[in-house]
Amino acid sequence: MGRRTRSAAAMAIVPLLLLSFFHLLQFVSSTQEIRVLSAEKRIDLTSPIARVFLTLKVENYGAPEVPEILIAFSPTESEHLAILKASTVEGKRKKKTYVPLSVSPVSSPDAPNGAQLYSVTLRSPLQSGETTTVEALYVLTHSLEPFPTEISQSEPQLVYYRDSATILSPYTIVEQTVYIKTPSSKVESYTKVEPTARSGSETRYGPYHDRLPYSFSPVIVHFENNNPFAVVEELVREIEISHWGNLQIRDHYRLKHAGARHKGVFSRTIAALGYFYWVYDTYAKHPCRLDYQFRQSLSASFKTLLAMLPPRVHSVYYRDDIGNISSSHLRINSQKSELEIEPRYPLFGGWKATFTIGYGLPLQDFLFESSDGRRYLNFSFGCPLIETVVDDLTVKVILPEGSRNPTAAVPFPVNQHLEMTYSYLDVVGRTTLVLQKRNVVPEHNYPFQVYYDFNPIFMLAEPLMLVSSVFLFFVAYIAYVHIDLSIRRPLKTNS
Amino acid sequence: MAPKPVMSPIPMHLYPAVSALLLVVGLLVSAFFFIYEATTSTRNRSLAKELVTATIASGFLGFGSLFLLLATGVYV
């Protein structure tokens, strides 16, 4: 074969090879032309709910148009992912506005090691050569693992947090840094992936340069976290609408302390004196402590919980199976009401408490009539307790008798179904719309709407029921008076 | 346009007064009914008068007891 035929054969084979190469890399080719110029991940571990702020500066250097950006999560992260929000920054400096972007999960069976991908839809597709900055916030629940798993009453609580020093992403990242913020500077140990630095309560991993897609370097941070690990295992909220002017809410809680389990004896005197031990520990030894630790208690147990209720709340009660619990405080102002409740015993690791909180609200703050004649309830989803995770949340909206066609508009995915509830003066029962969601965090405290049709004439059903029952009594009396039940023959007049 | 809030048909602070008024009137009419039953003899009774009085009395008593339930906090 001469040189010409050899080069001709090579020229014939090369396009074929390239074609098959690109066909094989179909999945990866779309991500190869996008890369992340700089990525910054800030993990906030000050509360038992881990909040992660991810800032990505993405550049499109090859593909014609990119409508969406993918964010990857490891399998354990996606199991504990409660909410993922993304936004983009528009404007500069003082005129910065954050525009929310829609996020949706993407089925990704080809991603390595079972990574889950979520796609963030950009406002306008990214053109070739352009860069954009996307900020994402995601919340992880049950990500702090207590270690040691059992502690006694006066020991501080230490937890593990597992993550990766390099950000998991389907794109190449040119420069990245990860910052982990712990509640105090008491960090027992942390994995070192050079370059790593720790100053005060912040641990920094990075900056790392030119990491390949899906690169993952696991790290563990072992630190002290004495913040209350309150987890509501099950919360059932019943919202009863009465068109006569009141919205009645009943919340049934099953609360658990999900931190390190308590071992040994529980002594109330040590729990009360714990404050004094802490004062000595903080002030006698270090006279200049004036930071966040000032407010922290020595142990990880908690005595009180705070619930944020809407303003103009009335008839608040706090009870459990035994009866009323009087250790609570209600503070009302024009913006909100704060209910501070104290369970019958302080909660240590692994301990549970079950209670009910009920309150009434004026109807005109929450029930409205839309322009097409349908009525709708505007209420906030989520748990009123601050900084608590709810494993299983059920919201039951009990609509008045005679309501038809209920539909719900909720900003995040929930499971819905209809039920029938029987309450005061009911004939056919009240239609109930049940919304159910798992893994609910305070970021889910968003208003949702329930629309339904209602003919005002049905409000007369209740008084007419009472009127007819009283009338029945009168009719019975009249009948009794008119019927002659005597055995004697009526007296005949002598004619 | 701001959504129109749904309010109760009668202002809520009037519920106790309305219930008291309706119950008093209803009890007066039912007193009239029972006095009529007690004083007239069997032959002179008029069924129409009895039924009309019973209807009026049950109407007032029914609505009065509804507003009594609402005034005490049982929002039916």
Side-chain angles (χ1 to χ4, degrees), chain A residues 242 244 367 369 376 481-482, chain B residues 3-4 6 15 45 50 75-76:
Chain A
S242 163
W244 294 102
L367 195 68
E369 198 167 314
Y376 66 94
V481 164
H482 278 254
Chain B
K4 201 174 76 167
V6 171
Y15 280 161
R45 269 193 209 117
E50 283 178 336
Y75 285 94
V76 296

Side-chain angles (χ1 to χ4, degrees), chain A residues 240 242-246 248 314 362-365 367-371 375-376 424-425 430 459-460 462-464 466-468 470-475 477-478 481-482, chain B residues 1 3-10 12 15 30 33-34 37-38 42 45-47 50-51 54-55 57-63 65-67 69-70 73-76:
Chain A
E240 188 168 333
S242 163
H243 283 131
W244 294 102
N246 187 50
Q248 183 69 26
H314 65 85
L363 192 66
Q364 59 254 33
D365 287 347
L367 195 68
F368 302 99
E369 198 167 314
S370 66
S371 44
R375 298 190 177 195
Y376 66 94
Y424 307 111
L425 300 182
R430 302 185 185 209
M459 276 175 79
L460 278 178
E462 286 149 355
L464 283 179
L466 291 166
V467 165
S468 59
V470 180
F471 185 64
L472 213 65
F473 164 73
F474 278 112
V475 163
Y477 181 75
I478 291 169
V481 164
H482 278 254
Chain B
M1 132 182 138
K4 201 174 76 167
V6 171
M7 314 237 288
S8 58
I10 299 170
M12 283 175 68
Y15 280 161
S30 57
F33 172 81
F34 284 112
E37 292 288 336
T42 324
R45 269 193 209 117
S46 138
L47 187 66
E50 283 178 336
L51 281 175
T55 319
S58 58
F60 277 106
L61 281 176
F63 275 91
S65 55
L66 172 83
F67 284 106
L69 280 172
L70 291 174
V74 178
Y75 285 94
V76 296

Side-chain angles (χ1 to χ4, degrees), chain A residues 44-301:
Chain A
D44 186 357
L45 299 176
T46 49
S47 107
I49 304 172
R51 292 188 170 89
V52 183
F53 299 88
L54 186 62
T55 310
L56 296 171
K57 191 165 172 205
V58 183
E59 185 199 8
N60 171 8
Y61 63 87
E65 245 189 28
V66 172
E68 57 185 24
I69 293 184
L70 299 171
I71 301 182
F73 295 100
S74 64
T76 40
E77 267 189 333
S78 61
E79 246 175 60
H80 294 135
L81 185 69
I83 193 169
L84 168 61
K85 292 201 272 203
S87 61
T88 185
V89 182
E90 284 191 2
K92 295 191 197 303
R93 296 202 171 230
K94 296 222 175 95
K95 284 182 255 166
K96 263 191 198 178
T97 50
Y98 288 92
V99 179
L101 304 171
S102 68
V103 170
S104 53
V106 168
S107 76
S108 40
D110 305 330
N113 291 332
Q116 289 290 314
L117 295 176
Y118 282 78
S119 97
V120 176
T121 317
L122 295 170
R123 291 242 300 172
S124 54
L126 198 63
Q127 304 298 325
S128 174
E130 275 188 0
T131 63
T132 181
T133 311
V134 171
E135 296 197 5
L137 157 69
Y138 60 93
V139 180
L140 300 169
T141 59
H142 300 287
S143 305
L144 298 182
E145 187 195 319
F147 189 83
T149 47
E150 288 189 0
I151 57 172
S152 77
Q153 187 172 323
S154 40
E155 279 174 29
Q157 179 173 263
L158 299 169
V159 294
Y160 272 152
Y161 177 68
R162 294 166 211 273
D163 200 357
S164 150
T166 52
I167 300 173
L168 186 68
S169 171
Y171 313 122
T172 323
I173 303 183
V174 174
E175 193 203 324
Q176 56 176 301
T177 325
V178 173
Y179 296 90
I180 298 183
K181 184 167 170 209
T182 54
S184 66
S185 57
K186 295 199 184 114
V187 176
E188 280 286 311
S189 66
Y190 60 99
T191 323
K192 285 192 172 59
V193 180
E194 290 310 322
T196 306
R198 190 172 85 84
S199 64
S201 56
E202 196 170 84
T203 311
R204 191 194 76 221
Y205 284 96
Y208 303 113
H209 297 278
D210 291 318
R211 293 293 162 125
L212 295 171
Y214 295 108
S215 59
F216 191 85
S217 9
V219 298
I220 299 180
V221 182
H222 194 200
F223 61 98
E224 180 179 310
N225 190 338
N226 279 328
N227 287 325
F229 265 66
V231 167
V232 180
E233 286 184 323
E234 194 184 340
L235 170 57
V236 178
R237 302 193 83 185
E238 291 171 8
I239 303 171
E240 188 168 333
I241 302 174
S242 163
H243 283 131
W244 294 102
N246 187 50
L247 204 69
Q248 183 69 26
I249 321 274
R250 278 180 293 272
D251 295 335
H252 304 276
Y253 291 88
R254 261 195 321 138
L255 182 74
K256 180 181 166 175
H257 186 300
R261 295 185 71 84
H262 178 252
K263 71 166 186 232
V265 296
F266 164 55
S267 161
R268 271 201 195 261
T269 48
I270 292 184
L273 288 174
Y275 174 71
F276 297 102
Y277 289 140
W278 165 79
V279 169
Y280 167 74
D281 183 58
T282 313
Y283 286 95
K285 292 187 200 168
H286 312 275
C288 296
R289 275 273 167 86
L290 281 175
D291 50 10
Y292 174 75
Q293 290 173 330
F294 178 77
R295 275 177 279 277
Q296 259 190 326
S297 66
L298 187 62
S299 74
S301 65

